[in-house]
Amino acid sequence: MPKVIRSVVLKNVEFWNGKTFEHRDAVYLGNSGNFLSPKIAKQTNFDAEIDCDNALVMPAMFGLSLDFMAPQRDDVYTFAQGLEAMHRGGFYGGLYESAANPIDNNEKLFAAQQRLAGTNYQIKFLGSYSVGFGSDRLSEMLELTEGAGFANETPDALAGFGDGNVSFPTTRFLRLAMEYGKMTGKRFFFTPMDKSLRKSGCVHEGAVSDMLGMKGIPRIAETIAAHTVLELARFLNVPVHFKQVTCGETLQLIKDARQKGIDVTCDVNLYHLLFDDSVLLELNSSYHLLPPLRASSDKAALWEGIQDGTVDAISVNHTPVLRQDAEVNFEDSVPGALSLEVALPAIWKELSKRVSASRAIELLSSGPARLSSAPLAYDENDSARQAHLVVLSLDKPHLVSASDFAGQVCNSPLLGKELPSSILGTYINGIWRTIANA
Amino acid sequence: MSSLEIKHLFGLHGVSKSDLRQILDTAKQFRAVLDRPVKKVPSLRGMTVVNLFFENSTRTRTSFELAEKRLSADVVNFTTSNSSVQKGETLVDTLRNIESMKIDIVVVRHKGTGVPKFLAEHSNAIVVNAGDGAHEHPTQALLDMLTIEEKLGTLENKKITIVGDIRHSRVARSNIWGMTTMGASVTLCGPNTLIPRNKELLGNVTWESNVERAVQDADAIIALRLQKERMDDALLPSMREYRNFFGVTDKVLSQAKDSTLIMHPGPINRGVELDSDVADGTHSVILDQVTNGVAVRMSVLFLLSGGRFNA
């Protein structure tokens, strides 16, 4: 069993000081996981010294849309493996929402918290606004918000209410849910998708779907649902968030809504920024995502939203899928992708080319944390606080292999691809981890 | 013919303070009659009252029937379960048929808002609303007002808090109109999905979403009955959550005045809108409300048919 490294000196780094990357000969992290001043460091025996060769040292990331129970097979993927994936990928926290096991009462919220017992990951949860993500019963939103008063219960564990990425059933029910949930003061998180327009579609409705003869999901499936949610948010004065926006039309609706004073935030899926539907011509089911990869013009519009500030966060949507459900023909495969282990090296170079480092960190770390009401990864000026950080080498590309993934599944569109940068190591919850194959 | 400014009692909206005063004062005199060994007076002798109940009702119908009999009226009960309405007869035809039997007063309960007014427009009888849809239930509000006056002396400057399903409550609406006319301040409290969405026309009332704040300094707390079908209709998640956040419990009661009255239109869902300790406790005047219901209904029937005490 390798020795656990708690105190570490990271030498020769480009350190994010909260405003910019600056060269530091050394950054010191103590046994409690906090930054140490050079003066205190002189009196400390460190477990390890790592030469980072001018790699970036930046705040660890916060993952939006985590689901470690997606296959409902704990012999294949477990909560512990999900947390391991977070450590490997440099994530100190995340917003958790299980599609398979909706958190619709306090017992389930507490059970989910118990799975984290003994760890310091900053995991926040989305409760379900309906019982079982169904369409006829509201969940006990007031009780979920207040907590049940169980011993060891984490206060403020609930970040908001979500839909489990299931299209809302009827506008009437949605109205009642938002009207009732307004009393909690929490934000509602939606994946906007009109059920009837989606029907059995599995890819973007466009030239590629026509060419392949596959049933498409039109952009208006997203915009019509988004419009409905925004109208209700305006009418009821309830804050809302759109998960995984896929097209420029929805971003325009969000901009217009903000002009009208509606409190709306949104995120974009990492993979929608990396790929468009032209990759579907490979007929590789690892590109099967929901919402689907859209056209290159949509991808460009999402990047524009990243650049102009419309997008609040980049989400990871980490969803394990059983090998037998992923390795089938595209239309019969289960949508979803792993992302925690590969997100940062996959996106950082492209992202930092298009936006400032400050904005990039906001999109990956502080933005999603704020949306989830979680603390930030680190504050160098607060030496009493634990610091969570990730060390990224821009010089070393990384070939993604199955061993990079923590669980027994590896459903990722990046499998077998070379990433432009690599994670040298992560320091999460006071433990340094050198990442293999770096 | 009526001794009041109003000729029928459709609701309390728009009813003058002097009419309300007269109804309540007359009810107090009938209340005294109810305590006598012989509880019957000949005020409506020779008059025929039909109780036209299109909705199920036990308490209100019994209370009206008792009031009518105490006034010596001839009483006919009509319910939809044994009527030609079940065979498709229209409302007007039902009324005309009954009216042909020379009735004087119609007491009506119906699921449709405005049915009492509709009946009055199509008949010569005096019409008393015993509950129309979620619109008004004026005699319930009057008995609430009578009970408060009986216990506290006056409604003037009293704080009345109504907790529960305001959106669907005809009792709440009638209480709002009646109590504010009599100078009380009314605070309404309930979950977002059970309060009206557009409150502008609901009078000069205060809204509060936290029940403990709503009852602070309250002279009387009226807990409304929670219909179980609200859960099926996705308006509430569970009885448990409702009780925990909107139920009138001992803890909630401790925020109100020591002298506060606990009221309920009945029947009570114990452990939901009212805890048993509260419903049966020293603050409770729920059974007084039931007694006062007969007196208030006697007063309304008596005054609308032209009666005057000491006249």
Side-chain angles (χ1 to χ4, degrees):
Chain A
M1 184 124 181
K3 184 189 169 196
V4 174
I5 299 172
R6 294 193 179 278
S7 58
V8 64
V9 186
L10 301 176
K11 298 174 86 173
N12 203 15
V13 297
E14 294 298 314
F15 179 78
W16 180 254
N17 64 11
K19 289 180 182 162
T20 185
F21 284 108
E22 66 177 16
H23 185 80
R24 298 263 178 102
D25 292 335
V27 169
Y28 307 99
L29 292 151
N31 276 318
S32 304
N34 52 332
F35 286 117
L36 299 181
S37 66
K39 192 175 164 188
I40 294 175
K42 275 183 189 167
Q43 304 155 14
T44 308
N45 291 321
F46 288 93
D47 295 337
E49 287 189 7
I50 314 284
D51 185 352
C52 296
D53 194 17
N54 291 316
L56 302 181
V57 171
M58 65 173 83
M61 293 170 295
F62 195 91
L64 287 185
S65 295
L66 307 182
D67 188 352
F68 302 149
M69 297 174 76
Q72 291 189 279
R73 285 278 301 272
D74 59 8
D75 56 332
V76 174
Y77 208 88
T78 63
F79 229 82
Q81 285 166 331
L83 296 178
E84 168 65 17
M86 289 176 70
H87 207 146
R88 287 187 190 186
F91 285 81
Y92 73 104
L95 184 58
Y96 189 87
E97 183 183 31
S98 172
N101 190 16
I103 294 172
D104 51 19
N105 61 46
N106 265 323
E107 287 71 24
K108 287 185 184 174
L109 178 60
F110 185 60
Q113 288 176 39
Q114 287 302 96
R115 290 168 181 273
L116 294 166
T119 75
N120 288 322
Y121 286 94
Q122 290 292 333
I123 302 282
K124 298 287 178 175
F125 297 91
L126 282 185
S128 167
Y129 62 74
S130 63
V131 174
F133 294 131
S135 59
D136 52 356
R137 293 290 292 269
L138 299 177
S139 69
E140 293 172 328
M141 288 183 258
L142 292 170
E143 298 213 336
L144 275 166
T145 303
E146 194 165 87
F150 295 125
N152 305 323
E153 191 177 59
T154 313
D156 303 323
L158 198 81
F161 294 99
D163 57 2
N165 303 325
V166 178
S167 313
F168 59 81
T170 65
T171 310
R172 177 186 178 273
F173 185 77
L174 184 64
R175 175 188 183 174
L176 292 172
M178 290 171 71
E179 192 169 42
Y180 189 84
K182 182 182 177 181
M183 292 188 287
T184 67
K186 299 286 185 188
R187 189 176 290 274
F188 277 72
F189 291 67
F190 297 104
T191 301
M193 177 88 72
D194 183 278
K195 211 174 190 170
S196 60
L197 286 170
R198 177 198 164 190
K199 212 168 176 237
S200 54
C202 62
V203 295
H204 168 61
E205 182 183 285
V208 172
S209 69
D210 279 349
M211 187 179 164
L212 294 172
M214 291 205 280
K215 286 178 184 163
I217 304 172
R219 290 186 192 93
I220 54 168
E222 180 171 301
T223 54
I224 287 172
H227 186 77
T228 301
V229 168
L230 288 171
E231 272 297 279
L232 287 171
R234 182 188 62 77
F235 180 70
L236 297 168
N237 194 21
V238 171
V240 293
H241 176 89
F242 288 126
K243 300 181 276 187
Q244 305 191 67
V245 171
T246 64
C247 62
E249 287 85 342
T250 307
L251 291 178
Q252 188 58 50
L253 283 174
I254 291 167
K255 283 186 208 173
D256 294 346
R258 286 176 179 164
Q259 292 262 315
K260 291 178 196 160
I262 298 169
D263 183 353
V264 51
T265 53
C266 70
D267 68 70
V268 168
N269 182 341
L270 165 83
Y271 290 121
H272 289 121
L273 292 169
L274 294 175
F275 302 109
D276 59 48
D277 68 345
S278 63
V279 297
L280 302 183
L281 296 171
E282 297 173 26
L283 288 174
N284 178 348
S285 57
S286 66
Y287 293 115
H288 191 178
L289 304 174
L290 194 67
L293 294 173
R294 294 210 181 269
S296 58
S297 59
D298 296 302
K299 185 178 147 191
L302 297 184
W303 276 111
E304 204 178 305
I306 291 279
Q307 287 167 303
D308 70 14
T310 309
V311 176
D312 296 283
I314 295 173
S315 57
V316 292
N317 306 288
H318 184 84
T319 312
V321 175
L322 288 179
R323 192 174 287 259
Q324 58 266 36
D325 290 336
E327 294 177 356
V328 292
N329 62 300
F330 193 99
E331 286 155 301
D332 291 336
S333 62
V334 172
L338 298 175
S339 50
L340 286 169
E341 298 92 333
V342 290
L344 183 63
I347 194 79
W348 180 262
K349 272 198 170 174
E350 185 64 28
L351 185 61
S352 57
K353 249 192 263 173
R354 293 176 184 255
V355 297
S356 67
S358 171
R359 170 78 173 137
I361 288 169
E362 181 191 337
L363 286 160
L364 293 168
S365 183
S366 54
R370 272 193 209 98
L371 283 172
S372 312
S373 308
L376 302 184
Y378 70 63
D379 176 358
E380 199 191 5
N381 298 319
D382 185 356
S383 58
R385 249 188 64 187
Q386 225 176 32
H388 310 282
L389 50 87
V390 55
V391 183
L392 183 74
S393 169
L394 299 179
D395 302 330
K396 296 178 182 169
H398 175 70
L399 184 66
V400 179
S401 67
S403 64
D404 288 326
F405 298 99
Q408 292 179 47
V409 293
C410 50
N411 55 297
S412 167
L414 293 170
L415 185 65
K417 295 198 165 47
E418 189 174 82
L419 306 182
S421 56
S422 58
I423 295 176
L424 286 185
T426 63
Y427 190 77
I428 309 282
N429 299 329
I431 296 175
W432 169 260
R433 179 76 61 84
T434 301
I435 302 303
N437 302 324
Chain B
M1 186 180 172
S2 171
S3 300
L4 301 167
E5 292 166 33
I6 53 170
K7 293 184 169 47
H8 310 274
L9 183 63
F10 302 141
L12 297 191
H13 185 220
V15 176
S16 69
K17 191 171 182 177
S18 64
D19 270 3
L20 292 176
R21 182 75 274 142
Q22 199 177 342
I23 293 169
L24 293 172
D25 287 347
T26 306
K28 283 170 192 165
Q29 302 197 47
F30 279 123
R31 178 70 184 79
V33 170
L34 295 177
D35 285 335
R36 292 181 196 160
V38 178
K39 300 173 178 63
K40 204 159 178 166
V41 291
S43 310
L44 294 191
R45 184 177 292 158
M47 297 186 85
T48 307
V49 183
V50 61
N51 295 317
L52 199 54
F53 277 64
F54 294 90
E55 276 189 332
N56 289 336
S57 166
T58 306
R59 286 160 185 261
T60 305
R61 193 178 55 76
T62 307
S63 180
F64 264 109
E65 191 175 340
L66 205 53
E68 292 148 7
K69 287 179 173 169
R70 297 275 189 247
L71 292 168
S72 305
D74 296 321
V75 179
V76 180
N77 286 317
F78 174 98
T79 55
T80 50
S81 56
N82 57 6
S83 77
S84 43
V85 170
Q86 292 287 24
K87 300 170 191 166
E89 188 175 65
T90 66
L91 188 60
V92 155
D93 283 343
T94 301
L95 180 71
R96 283 181 180 150
N97 274 289
I98 292 170
E99 200 181 20
S100 301
M101 301 170 201
K102 307 298 175 194
I103 52 142
D104 301 291
I105 301 174
V106 176
V107 175
V108 61
R109 169 171 283 194
H110 197 281
K111 67 179 181 186
T113 294
V115 165
K117 186 164 182 286
F118 178 84
L119 293 183
E121 286 165 358
H122 291 84
S123 86
N124 296 315
I126 297 163
V127 178
V128 177
N129 182 4
D132 61 330
H135 179 221
E136 287 227 38
H137 191 349
T139 55
Q140 177 66 45
L142 286 165
L143 74 87
D144 290 343
M145 291 157 68
L146 177 63
T147 306
I148 293 169
E149 285 203 345
E150 183 183 79
K151 301 292 176 188
L152 304 179
T154 178
L155 276 158
E156 191 84 35
N157 298 322
K158 298 297 181 201
K159 176 181 173 179
I160 316 300
T161 297
I162 306 176
V163 185
D165 184 359
I166 312 289
R167 187 182 292 176
H168 304 94
S169 175
R170 51 194 174 203
V171 175
R173 282 178 180 76
S174 288
N175 267 318
I176 290 169
W177 304 125
M179 290 187 181
T180 53
T181 301
M182 297 308 287
S185 69
V186 175
T187 297
L188 302 168
C189 176
N192 279 358
T193 41
L194 296 182
I195 59 172
R197 294 187 174 107
N198 303 286
K199 309 175 186 114
E200 299 86 354
L201 296 178
L202 268 176
N204 187 21
V205 294
T206 307
W207 297 88
E208 178 54 69
S209 57
N210 179 293
V211 68
E212 291 189 18
R213 282 199 299 270
V215 304
Q216 274 170 18
D217 302 321
D219 294 289
I221 302 165
I222 302 174
L224 299 174
R225 176 176 168 77
L226 185 71
Q227 305 287 341
K228 289 192 171 70
E229 49 266 35
R230 301 297 172 236
M231 257 62 67
D232 300 332
D233 208 22
L235 292 163
L236 283 178
S238 64
M239 290 282 192
R240 186 181 69 167
E241 177 152 306
Y242 181 86
R243 185 263 174 193
N244 287 347
F245 288 86
F246 296 98
V248 180
T249 60
D250 264 338
K251 183 166 173 270
V252 170
L253 189 58
S254 69
Q255 301 297 314
K257 281 185 178 171
D258 288 343
S259 57
T260 197
L261 307 177
I262 291 293
M263 303 172 74
H264 191 288
I268 304 169
N269 288 309
R270 286 173 182 268
V272 183
E273 66 265 8
L274 270 184
D275 273 9
S276 278
D277 289 351
V278 177
D280 302 331
T282 52
H283 296 272
S284 176
V285 292
I286 294 167
L287 293 177
D288 297 281
Q289 288 176 267
V290 177
T291 310
N292 286 337
V294 178
V296 144
R297 285 164 181 132
M298 288 172 77
S299 171
V300 166
L301 294 164
F302 175 72
L303 292 169
L304 285 176
S305 59
R308 282 177 197 278
F309 260 99
N310 308 321

